[in-house]
Amino acid sequence: MSPPLLKLGAVLSTMAMISNWMSQTLPSLVGLNTTRITTSDTLTQISPKEGWQVYSSAQDPDGRCICTVVAPEQNLCSRDAKSRQLRQLLEKVQNMSQSIEVLNLRTQRDFQYVLKMETQMKGLKAKFRAYLGSLNTKSEQELKEKMDELLPLIPVLEQYKTDAKLITQFKEEIRNLSTVLTGIQEEIGAYDYEELHQRVLSLETRLRDCMKKLTCGKLMKITGPITVKISGTRFGAWMTDPLASEKNNRVWYMDSYTNNKIVREYKSIADFVSGAESRTYNLPFKWAGTNHVVYNGSLYFNKYQSNIIIKYSFDTGRVLAQRSLEYAGFHNVYPYTWGGFSDIDLMADEIGLWAVYATNQNAGNIVISQLNQDTLEVLKSWSTGYPKRSAGESFMICGTLYVTNSHLTGAKVYYSYSTKTSTYEYTDIPFHNQYFHISMLDYNARDRALYAWNNGHQVLFNVTLFHVIKTEDDT
């Protein structure tokens, strides 16, 4: 055999070896068969109700695997279970790390072989060009066919190089994930259960103590509304008792501003929404307006066509007290802008029970009176300079009266009067009058919310209050 043919034999032998290795080894490494290691989004997943989750995106723009650990909600009672699940997850990650390490060693060894084969294939290509013209037609055709067989494997070779690089990066990410989980495990195990429980109780106690030092809040913002229900006429009132216990969520509903004395009771907001009444009360007198209040188990309302305030007990179904509010205008003499016999507005806040009204002696401007909740006696009064007929609605928060400029669109809290300092200021606190006609707006200190009747819609507004820490000079 001539030297060219001997060299050709060596070339063909090398090509056969490369072809055999690539056809048997590369498919399993680059994913051309079913044994490919997946890079799906979820590496390990435990039900959210059970505990920990680990997620990994396939790659970021730089080709790195991104792993995310999602911790469950903390529950002291299930601490041991969570720790056990964390240990199991850490074991899985460590097992995965070992498997990746084995695969990495294999791919690194084969990667060097791939680079060597790539160099040899480039050399073969050069030799092929050199032998062209010096071989007979048959040998040249045979060599050309062999080269053509290898051409489809070149992209596979490139894919393997890419996957080998990804496996190296994946190994690093698994190592990082293992470090994170180990850190979490150490953090959880840092405290004994009883010690952790005592720390929680201590924090709760400190929080309560801190809250006791807060002064009454100043209104900063009103958000909402949340529509609870659509019912009744255009005017009415609905309320809960700010002094009721947390488990007592009864709702009282009083439709219309006059010619009615039926109060409907619901055991909860849910029953109110569904219309499941628990009880009805037939009051001994008709009410005037929509500005009633339930306070400490009793209903306070303005008796129709009078300036008399009635205290009615829901428990006994009897009138416990009634008293005339001296000089107070009634029966649309000094109502809010919307009318509706809203001359006398009864309300409650963190300090106690209040009546807001107007008198001839104060030129029709608003008067604020603090009432004794048992006898309805006026404890103290403040005369403001704000015309009652110009007010849309008003409510008390922490001894400060907040007055809206309108009951229609564009309404905002426009004026406030502090009974603590006997001073007033003009404010600009907007709120969304979604249904364009508010006929009742009252603050509930327990819920920290404004209850409103807005054109046949029962809605709630959230309030944001600004508090400061009490000093020794504060009473």
Side-chain angles (χ1 to χ4, degrees), residues 102-118:
V102 173
L103 181 58
N104 184 58
L105 292 174
R106 177 184 175 188
T107 54
Q108 288 301 315
R109 183 186 65 246
D110 291 338
F111 184 57
Q112 297 301 319
Y113 192 47
V114 166
L115 294 178
K116 182 178 179 181
M117 292 301 100
E118 185 179 29

Side-chain angles (χ1 to χ4, degrees), residues 338-402:
W338 66 273
F341 306 145
S342 55
D343 304 70
I344 298 174
D345 191 349
L346 300 172
M347 54 187 75
D349 68 354
E350 292 85 351
I351 295 176
L353 186 66
W354 304 86
V356 173
Y357 54 99
T359 65
N360 289 332
Q361 288 75 5
N362 196 36
N365 295 323
I366 290 177
V367 176
I368 306 168
S369 291
Q370 187 174 5
L371 305 179
N372 181 299
Q373 64 169 309
D374 296 321
T375 65
L376 302 180
E377 179 185 0
V378 173
L379 302 177
K380 187 176 181 180
S381 292
W382 294 259
S383 295
T384 77
Y386 197 96
K388 179 73 162 49
R389 283 181 169 274
S390 297
E393 268 289 344
S394 67
F395 53 89
M396 294 287 292
I397 298 179
C398 292
T400 296
L401 179 71
Y402 294 92

Side-chain angles (χ1 to χ4, degrees), residues 215 420 470-475:
T215 59
K420 181 177 180 180
K470 289 180 181 178
T471 65
E472 293 181 358
D473 296 332
D474 290 321
T475 56

Side-chain angles (χ1 to χ4, degrees), residues 221-229 238 411 430-438 440-441 449-455 457-463:
K221 185 178 180 181
I222 300 175
T223 56
I226 301 169
T227 301
V228 177
K229 189 176 182 180
W238 72 294
F431 61 95
H432 184 38
N433 187 351
Q434 185 171 0
Y435 304 109
F436 315 119
H437 194 290
I438 293 178
M440 169 253 176
L441 187 64
L450 294 175
Y451 283 64
W453 190 292
N454 194 339
N455 210 357
H457 298 75
Q458 292 75 52
V459 302
L460 290 172
F461 292 92
N462 291 319
V463 297

Side-chain angles (χ1 to χ4, degrees), residues 89-264:
L89 179 58
L90 188 57
E91 290 174 0
K92 290 181 181 179
V93 174
Q94 290 172 344
N95 291 337
M96 186 186 301
S97 178
Q98 294 174 0
S99 300
I100 291 295
E101 185 65 37
V102 173
L103 181 58
N104 184 58
L105 292 174
R106 177 184 175 188
T107 54
Q108 288 301 315
R109 183 186 65 246
D110 291 338
F111 184 57
Q112 297 301 319
Y113 192 47
V114 166
L115 294 178
K116 182 178 179 181
M117 292 301 100
E118 185 179 29
T119 301
Q120 290 182 357
M121 287 186 66
K122 291 179 180 177
L124 288 174
K125 199 171 183 180
K127 290 179 181 179
F128 176 72
R129 293 195 190 96
Y131 288 129
L132 288 179
S134 63
L135 303 173
N136 57 47
T137 303
K138 181 178 180 181
S139 298
E140 185 177 319
Q141 182 63 33
E142 183 179 358
L143 184 58
K144 187 176 183 304
E145 290 175 355
K146 289 294 184 180
M147 288 299 297
D148 289 342
E149 289 178 4
L150 288 177
L151 289 177
L153 293 177
I154 293 177
V156 176
L157 181 64
E158 293 299 324
Q159 179 64 44
Y160 173 74
K161 290 167 63 179
T162 300
D163 280 18
K165 181 181 179 182
L166 180 62
I167 289 173
T168 301
Q169 295 169 345
F170 189 49
K171 172 188 173 183
E172 181 64 23
E173 295 300 328
I174 290 294
R175 184 184 296 114
N176 293 339
L177 176 60
S178 180
T179 301
V180 170
L181 292 177
T182 301
I184 294 174
Q185 186 182 46
E186 291 174 354
E187 186 70 21
I188 288 181
Y191 302 105
D192 177 77
Y193 170 81
E194 290 300 328
E195 180 184 352
L196 185 61
H197 184 60
Q198 290 303 318
R199 284 167 60 92
V200 171
L201 292 179
S202 175
L203 286 173
E204 289 179 347
T205 301
R206 290 170 59 190
L207 178 60
R208 291 193 191 97
D209 291 341
C210 182
M211 292 181 68
K212 291 177 182 178
K213 294 179 181 179
L214 294 178
T215 59
C216 243
K218 178 179 180 180
L219 180 66
M220 303 298 293
K221 185 178 180 181
I222 300 175
T223 56
I226 301 169
T227 301
V228 177
K229 189 176 182 180
I230 304 173
S231 65
T233 62
R234 193 177 186 186
F235 316 100
W238 72 294
M239 65 214 81
T240 59
D241 189 342
L243 294 187
S245 66
E246 293 182 0
K247 295 181 179 180
N248 181 356
N249 294 302
R250 288 186 294 174
V251 176
W252 290 273
Y253 178 88
M254 301 168 70
D255 191 14
S256 186
Y257 64 87
T258 187
N259 201 32
N260 196 351
K261 55 181 183 177
I262 301 299
V263 180
R264 303 184 189 281

